[in-house]
Amino acid sequence: MDDILIRVEDLHFAYRAGEPDAVPALNGISLTIRRGEYVAIVGHNGSGKSTLARHFNALLLPTRGKVYVQDMDTSDPRHTLDIRRIVGMVFQDPDNQIVGTLVEEDVAFGPENLGVPQPALAQRVEKALQAVGLWELRHRPPHLLSGGQRQRVAIAGVLAMEPACLVLDEATSMLDPASRAEVLQVVRRLHTAGTTIIAITHFMEEAALAERIIVLAGGKIALEGSPQEVFSQRERLRELRLVPPTPAQLAEAVQARSGVAFSPLPLTREALVEAVHAHAVPLPAGGRP
Amino acid sequence: MTEPLIAIRDLHYTYLPGTPLQAVALRGASMEVYAGEIVGLIGPAGAGKSTLLQHCNGLLRPTEPGHVIVDGQDLADPTVDLRRLRQMVGIVFQHPERQLFETLVGDDIAFGPRQLGMSRAEIRRRVEWAMRVVGLDFDTFVDRPTAALSGGERRKVAIAGVLALRPRVLILDEASAGLDPLTREEWQEQVRRLNADEGMTVIVVSSDMEEIAALAGRVYVMAEGRMVDEGTPAEVFAHTDLLNSLGLGQPVTSWVLGELRRRGYDVDPYAIRLEETVEELCRILRS
């Protein structure tokens, strides 16, 4: 099927593979990511999330099994550059990803290395900086920006490569709440515009924004489904060392106590307010009861 | 009156003073931490939180007006015993995983106690204890190469390395970022236990407001190098406008109740714990 962007077949990976102290990290993962999808990958510490993510653009290669990006085998070195153009990675720490002395130079670095000529280069940089809302700050040195702004510079640097897919490996975990919201807004906008998003996260409220959640445990897929499906399995999640987002926990406790049934179960704080509002005793006109 | 264990009074600090790169980080910050407390410290990036905390164990020394007094000792005094101070005040920094430098997990955690010249048996006891506190199985991990650990596991090793010194004051600077949800819950439980059972005084810096609400008995809000608010979590998290203006946001509980109040519902904006919030929500529902 040509709408499949990434195909993973029975992927096994071990750090120090073949050595006596090899540490297995992935133990037989098969999955597909469709073009334009928004997928969240969650799982306990050491479950293999980041290791899996690094296979999506050939930063790591399978010990056994295959990873295909647009039908190109990531193990074939002839495809490496093409694959990295298709799948861009944003990591946890923006400061490890920023190389330029000015915002616009940093964003131009990737496409320049791909040999993109002017004026196409300048257009790409502008488009990428507009997409993350930093065009006005293009002449600033990145180190004088806030954490959220620096992470958006890192995302713009990846976007300037015009990838079909953006992999965010805990890209918001070091940001303060406002910066996290900024980055998530950019991600949602990119997804709406057609970019495939793979978000690795420990924030369950963030995972709830995806269309599909893949839960890893011990280097295998343990659970998969829509946020509604995954987060309603509270006991199973606990076995997998995860908990539903706080709004869902509140909603479940309210249901159990009040007898009110929310359908669907609210997963975000906004959805919880709406659900409670819909089931609340109506307010008298003109103010508080 | 009991004296605070840590008292910071009107502290100023400037990085690279007198150079073109001069950056003022603290502009009269004051904070008091009493023995046995868990104090939360929140503030936007660049507020000066880490600069402030680095004064608590002498990594930075007061050079401008202001005082840092730890256990009755003014740290401006050049004769302060730094070794004793750093044994007393342990700091787990942001990205503690970058502090790992030994090849094997056990050696990394044992580094501090070894430096203090403890016996092998005592070192082993402390390493076992510290690994249990952070939730790393001793037999599984003690001889594992640090290079083969996941991000979250590396973080636990770094935290265990600080705990192995058994500090009286534990400062956690975004130490739980990157932990999975259940590990984070367990870690919070461990911090509570370190505080209750071992009498460890704790200062928690976190951008996760849920964590601050769950742990802290008192919260300071910092912005532009000084404190702008202080109170119980319920008080501080009810100050929606201040929190929003600083880009800090609120825990889910406070946010939801605040939003419902804005819509005219009579719910208690000071409820902050999950159970209290559930009670408030049930009260306004049609039964």
Side-chain angles (χ1 to χ4, degrees):
Chain A
M1 286 255 307
D2 59 356
D3 77 328
I4 287 175
L5 188 71
I6 297 175
R7 189 155 41 100
V8 176
E9 290 176 355
D10 194 31
L11 170 60
H12 293 252
F13 180 82
Y15 289 97
R16 302 175 183 235
E19 312 266 328
D21 57 353
V23 180
L26 299 177
N27 302 303
I29 288 189
S30 298
L31 61 86
T32 54
I33 307 283
R34 288 187 305 278
R35 203 176 281 280
E37 238 190 325
Y38 186 165
V39 179
I41 299 179
V42 301
H44 62 81
N45 291 130
S47 61
K49 301 182 298 294
S50 293
T51 306
L52 175 61
R54 282 165 170 73
H55 280 82
F56 292 149
N57 76 342
L59 283 177
L60 291 176
L61 300 175
T63 306
R64 209 173 90 207
K66 288 288 180 195
V67 176
Y68 298 96
V69 174
Q70 279 187 4
D71 291 326
M72 290 181 285
D73 184 343
T74 59
S75 306
D76 183 340
R78 287 173 303 174
H79 296 317
T80 306
L81 262 182
D82 285 330
I83 286 169
R84 294 203 179 139
R85 251 173 259 184
I86 295 166
V87 180
M89 297 271 292
V90 181
F91 297 100
Q92 194 178 75
D93 187 349
D95 298 339
N96 291 344
Q97 304 167 63
I98 288 174
V99 292
T101 51
L102 295 179
V103 166
E104 62 177 5
E105 285 173 14
D106 187 81
V107 175
F109 180 79
E112 214 166 5
N113 278 340
L114 292 180
V116 175
Q118 292 290 9
L121 179 65
Q123 284 163 3
R124 279 199 189 198
V125 170
E126 178 172 354
K127 204 173 146 202
L129 281 171
Q130 297 280 16
V132 299
L134 287 179
W135 175 242
E136 274 67 41
L137 302 183
R138 63 190 176 280
H139 299 309
R140 298 272 191 91
H143 69 273
L144 292 183
L145 303 179
S146 75
Q149 288 169 335
R150 288 203 302 277
Q151 190 60 289
R152 280 149 67 199
V153 171
I155 293 177
V158 176
L159 288 181
M161 315 274 279
E162 302 193 335
C165 177
L166 198 59
V167 180
L168 301 139
D169 187 2
E170 292 192 46
T172 65
S173 72
M174 291 182 28
L175 303 179
D176 60 38
S179 305
R180 189 181 307 154
E182 268 172 33
V183 168
L184 287 177
Q185 204 183 354
V186 168
V187 168
R188 255 181 294 190
R189 216 163 44 224
L190 290 170
H191 173 240
T192 310
T195 306
T196 307
I197 307 287
I198 303 176
I200 287 143
T201 180
H202 280 307
F203 294 105
M204 296 300 124
E205 257 190 290
E206 216 173 290
L209 301 173
E211 296 162 328
R212 181 159 62 112
I213 298 179
I214 296 173
V215 184
L216 296 190
K220 290 184 176 158
I221 295 179
L223 191 60
E224 196 181 346
S226 70
Q228 286 290 334
E229 287 161 355
V230 167
F231 287 133
S232 55
Q233 302 187 49
R234 193 175 182 148
E235 291 311 309
R236 180 77 182 114
L237 281 175
R238 230 179 153 78
E239 288 164 23
L240 301 171
R241 305 196 55 75
L242 298 177
V243 291
T246 307
Q249 292 178 40
L250 285 169
E252 286 196 333
V254 168
Q255 290 190 123
R257 217 177 121 151
S258 67
V260 162
F262 299 125
S263 178
L265 186 71
L267 301 179
T268 63
R269 50 185 77 190
E270 291 83 3
L272 176 60
V273 167
E274 293 307 329
V276 170
H277 178 62
H279 289 83
V281 179
L283 292 165
R288 274 175 199 165
Chain B
M1 270 281 295
T2 19
E3 283 295 304
L5 188 54
I6 296 180
I8 296 172
R9 304 232 159 90
D10 195 32
L11 187 62
H12 290 72
Y13 191 82
T14 305
Y15 286 102
L16 303 169
T19 74
L21 294 172
Q22 166 169 318
V24 181
L26 298 179
R27 306 163 193 265
S30 298
M31 178 166 92
E32 291 185 337
V33 178
Y34 290 86
E37 274 197 297
I38 301 184
V39 170
L41 176 61
I42 59 176
K49 305 184 293 292
S50 297
T51 306
L52 184 81
L53 297 176
Q54 286 177 49
H55 280 83
C56 294
N57 76 345
L59 284 174
L60 292 176
R61 308 293 284 272
T63 51
E64 292 173 67
H67 292 279
V68 180
I69 296 155
V70 178
D71 198 22
Q73 255 196 318
D74 193 326
L75 301 192
D77 179 350
T79 66
V80 164
D81 180 352
L82 283 178
R83 197 174 144 118
R84 194 185 146 266
L85 178 67
R86 288 184 187 151
Q87 210 179 323
M88 181 161 84
V89 181
I91 306 189
V92 182
F93 287 109
Q94 289 175 43
H95 324 299
E97 57 276 15
R98 292 189 195 155
Q99 298 170 39
L100 304 191
F101 51 91
E102 293 281 357
T103 313
L104 299 179
V105 166
D107 290 337
D108 203 275
I109 299 170
F111 180 81
R114 270 184 196 145
Q115 291 295 305
L116 296 175
M118 289 172 188
S119 70
R120 283 178 65 91
E122 177 62 16
I123 290 169
R124 189 186 155 102
R125 245 196 316 278
R126 286 188 174 217
V127 170
E128 275 180 340
W129 173 79
M131 288 179 72
R132 192 167 59 243
V133 170
V134 298
L136 284 173
D137 182 64
F138 183 81
D139 294 324
T140 312
F141 283 98
V142 74
D143 289 328
R144 191 169 280 198
T146 48
L149 299 175
S150 75
E153 289 162 352
R154 272 208 291 278
R155 180 153 302 211
K156 290 179 177 182
V157 172
I159 295 170
V162 173
L163 284 178
L165 291 166
R166 286 197 172 256
R168 272 175 72 192
V169 182
L170 180 63
I171 298 180
L172 303 166
D173 189 352
E174 297 284 2
S176 69
L179 295 180
D180 64 55
L182 204 58
T183 304
R184 187 178 276 242
E185 270 186 18
E186 290 166 355
W187 164 242
Q188 288 171 5
E189 188 47 43
Q190 286 296 354
V191 171
R192 255 181 243 118
R193 231 176 280 160
L194 286 171
N195 175 253
D197 303 347
E198 316 266 338
M200 228 178 246
T201 304
V202 182
I203 304 175
V204 192
V205 177
S206 180
S207 57
D208 179 3
M209 299 302 135
E210 318 279 326
E211 177 160 285
I212 297 288
L215 280 179
R218 211 153 57 83
V219 180
Y220 281 96
V221 184
M222 198 171 181
E224 294 177 5
R226 62 172 78 88
M227 300 306 167
V228 293
D229 200 6
E230 184 265 338
T232 64
E235 288 163 357
V236 165
F237 287 127
H239 298 160
T240 320
D241 293 342
L242 175 69
L243 294 169
N244 285 340
S245 72
L246 297 175
L248 291 173
Q250 295 166 285
V252 170
T253 50
S254 310
W255 190 89
V256 165
L257 293 171
E259 195 58 32
L260 287 166
R261 263 185 91 78
R262 239 185 316 285
R263 294 186 181 203
Y265 293 103
D266 187 22
V267 287
D268 178 6
Y270 292 103
I272 189 161
R273 291 179 320 154
L274 288 182
E275 315 83 76
E276 297 167 346
T277 307
V278 168
E279 206 166 302
E280 287 304 298
L281 295 179
C282 287
R283 227 162 34 74
I284 63 168
L285 290 175
R286 278 186 300 248
S287 48

